[in-house]
Amino acid sequence: MRERLRFIASGGWGFIRAIARLLMTDAGDRLIAEVRSTVRRIDNHDWPGTKKRQAAVAVLLGRLGLPAYLVNCLIELAVAELRDEEE
């Protein structure tokens, strides 16, 4: 059981560490700015949430050339920021 937890925790840390390293660079600043603007543009459409998400993923995968897991994570960060601004 302990080994399983260690494996899960190390995998999670590797994921978080890779994203944090990327976001702490100038390239990360440009990426998150691109994601923010895309999410804001798509949010203006009168679509259901799942369609907005699919559209954002499709646009960003084509533009950024990043892995899908990273694009999804960046979208979540941008959506959280957008919600904070609305409040």
Side-chain angles (χ1 to χ4, degrees), residues 17-30:
R17 184 178 55 194
I19 292 170
R21 279 186 180 169
L22 173 67
L23 293 178
M24 293 176 68
T25 63
D26 290 336
D29 291 340
R30 289 189 300 272

Side-chain angles (χ1 to χ4, degrees), residues 8-50:
I8 292 169
S10 68
W13 173 244
F15 175 77
I16 292 169
R17 184 178 55 194
I19 292 170
R21 279 186 180 169
L22 173 67
L23 293 178
M24 293 176 68
T25 63
D26 290 336
D29 291 340
R30 289 189 300 272
L31 284 174
I32 197 67
E34 177 71 27
V35 172
R36 274 189 210 119
S37 68
T38 301
V39 167
R40 284 190 176 120
R41 273 195 320 270
I42 291 175
D43 190 47
N44 291 331
H45 294 305
D46 190 24
W47 297 337
T50 55

Side-chain angles (χ1 to χ4, degrees), residues 34-35 38 53-72 75:
E34 177 71 27
V35 172
T38 301
R53 183 175 218 5
Q54 290 171 349
V57 168
V59 168
L60 292 170
L61 280 175
R63 278 192 193 158
L64 303 178
L66 295 173
Y69 77 90
L70 189 54
V71 168
N72 283 313
I75 288 172

